[in-house]
Amino acid sequence: MIERMTSQKEIILKYLKSTTSHPSAEDIYLEVRKELPRISLGTVYRILATFKNKKKIIEIAHEVSRYDANTDPHSHFICESCDNIYDIEIPNFKKNINKRGHNKASCLKKIFGDFIKVGKINNYQIYFYGKCKKCSKK
Amino acid sequence: MIERMTSQKEIILKYLKSTTSHPSAEDIYLEVRKELPRISLGTVYRILATFKNKKKIIEIAHEVSRYDANTDPHSHFICESCDNIYDIEIPNFKKNINKRGHNKASCLKKIFGDFIKVGKINNYQIYFYGKCKKCSKK
DNA sequence: TTATTATCAATAATGATTACTAATTAGATT
DNA sequence: AATCTAATTAGTAATCATTATTGATAATAA
């Protein structure tokens, strides 16, 4: 099966790369409809699934799934008040995560202990739940 | 609204406390039906929602929701091969998480940087995805 | 015991996501 | 450039987890 480039894929990825708002499939559908008025929601879901398989995007499974084209290692802060999701940089996290046996004196070891014993980690997601600054000011 | 203790609540919580298997609502329904043959799935969902509000249990929002009566700070390892979820102890994690300004020399500070600037964290969930030891041996 | 009201079982409704199918189209071949 | 063909799509139906509804039941108060 040779993959074909289509305007649907192109425009969805372009939109995801242009935003940090972590839109849902529905949000993406409503947005790209401005350029592709005949696109269907099923197409959006299918294209998002293929992007996820190819690791072009990340799925955030909090209530309805939301999507993020930022594939650099980072985490998310979910405001329980406004439901916005904010990107969080956690430098050096994944890089060190499988280094059991190495860096014994390292900070990671001290904090996380020997939790890697359950298996081999391919990936991780950290979700922080709280109230964002904007909502705290209200 | 004064809460009433019922056998449905009692048996669901007893079951959740007895297991580390992170069952879904459906799993719980099938299990507690052995003791309560007439219980309905809607009742299970409603009771789980009240337990979650009261922080008696944790909801793990990975694909279908799964539930955990272990409310000590801990994280989860999800085996992408067998779909089992394993508990992970990460000592001292939450305890230190909001201490921005304190422990400046601490390990947490070094690793996580100043990500707390987006807001006040009430809670967090870490999901590790990978392949568990059992599946690696197959 | 009777009244009140939280809770329940049963079932219908909802809403996100997936599956299906006939029509379309990207890219290869002529 | 025209044709071919298999990947992709639009439109729609189906699925499945979860929530809402409703009349019946049962726990607690009066």
Side-chain angles (χ1 to χ4, degrees):
Chain A
M1 188 193 297
I2 296 132
E3 201 198 351
R4 288 178 183 170
M5 184 45 56
T6 64
S7 54
Q8 287 88 343
K9 288 177 192 169
E10 214 168 347
I11 287 166
I12 287 174
L13 192 57
K14 186 183 70 182
Y15 171 55
L16 274 175
K17 282 185 169 164
S18 78
T19 183
T20 58
S21 70
H22 308 88
S24 65
E26 178 84 24
D27 295 333
I28 295 164
Y29 169 66
L30 292 173
E31 183 63 31
V32 301
R33 248 183 2 156
K34 293 172 186 168
E35 283 189 72
L36 297 166
R38 296 180 61 74
I39 197 170
S40 80
L41 184 55
T43 299
V44 174
Y45 273 105
R46 184 170 26 71
I47 289 175
L48 290 171
T50 65
F51 285 171
K52 190 191 165 190
N53 283 338
K54 299 204 177 80
K55 317 239 185 241
K56 288 182 180 175
I57 64 171
I58 288 163
E59 181 179 0
I60 302 165
H62 167 71
E63 293 171 4
V64 319
S65 282
R66 295 168 68 166
Y67 299 89
D68 188 347
N70 178 2
T71 54
D72 297 331
H74 72 287
S75 298
H76 294 105
F77 178 95
I78 299 169
C79 177
E80 290 165 320
S81 178
C82 66
D83 228 45
N84 276 336
I85 297 180
Y86 299 86
D87 288 314
I88 300 287
E89 295 291 334
I90 303 189
N92 304 322
F93 191 91
K94 189 178 183 182
K95 204 166 71 183
N96 291 307
I97 225 161
N98 272 308
K99 290 194 179 167
R100 182 161 153 71
H102 308 284
N103 301 319
K104 277 200 172 128
S106 78
C107 294
L108 273 170
K109 174 78 176 135
K110 277 186 227 150
I111 293 164
F112 295 105
D114 61 348
F115 68 92
I116 303 165
K117 67 187 171 195
V118 295
K120 170 76 169 62
I121 294 162
N122 293 326
N123 203 354
Y124 75 97
Q125 281 285 319
I126 306 186
Y127 300 125
F128 295 97
Y129 301 91
K131 200 174 195 176
C132 73
K133 288 214 164 159
K134 209 192 269 180
C135 286
S136 294
K137 278 174 190 158
K138 279 172 196 160
Chain B
M1 189 195 295
I2 296 130
E3 201 198 351
R4 289 176 183 170
M5 182 45 57
T6 65
S7 54
Q8 286 88 346
K9 288 178 193 168
E10 213 168 347
I11 288 166
I12 287 174
L13 192 58
K14 186 183 70 182
Y15 171 55
L16 274 175
K17 282 186 170 163
S18 77
T19 184
T20 58
S21 70
H22 308 89
S24 66
E26 178 84 23
D27 295 333
I28 295 164
Y29 170 66
L30 293 173
E31 184 63 31
V32 301
R33 249 185 358 158
K34 294 172 185 169
E35 283 189 72
L36 298 165
R38 296 181 59 74
I39 197 171
S40 80
L41 183 54
T43 299
V44 174
Y45 273 105
R46 183 170 29 72
I47 289 174
L48 290 171
T50 65
F51 283 170
K52 190 190 166 193
N53 283 338
K54 296 206 179 77
K55 317 242 186 238
K56 287 182 181 174
I57 64 170
I58 289 164
E59 181 178 2
I60 302 165
H62 167 72
E63 293 172 1
V64 319
S65 282
R66 296 167 68 165
Y67 300 88
D68 189 348
N70 178 3
T71 55
D72 297 332
H74 72 288
S75 297
H76 295 105
F77 178 95
I78 299 169
C79 177
E80 290 165 321
S81 177
C82 67
D83 228 44
N84 276 336
I85 297 180
Y86 299 86
D87 288 313
I88 299 287
E89 295 292 335
I90 302 189
N92 303 323
F93 191 91
K94 191 178 181 182
K95 204 166 71 183
N96 290 307
I97 226 160
N98 271 307
K99 289 194 181 168
R100 181 162 154 69
H102 307 284
N103 302 320
K104 278 201 170 128
S106 78
C107 294
L108 274 170
K109 174 77 177 134
K110 277 187 227 149
I111 292 164
F112 295 104
D114 61 348
F115 69 90
I116 303 166
K117 67 186 171 195
V118 294
K120 171 76 169 60
I121 294 161
N122 293 327
N123 204 354
Y124 74 97
Q125 281 285 318
I126 306 185
Y127 301 125
F128 296 97
Y129 301 91
K131 200 173 195 177
C132 73
K133 289 213 163 160
K134 209 193 269 180
C135 287
S136 295
K137 279 175 189 158
K138 278 173 197 162

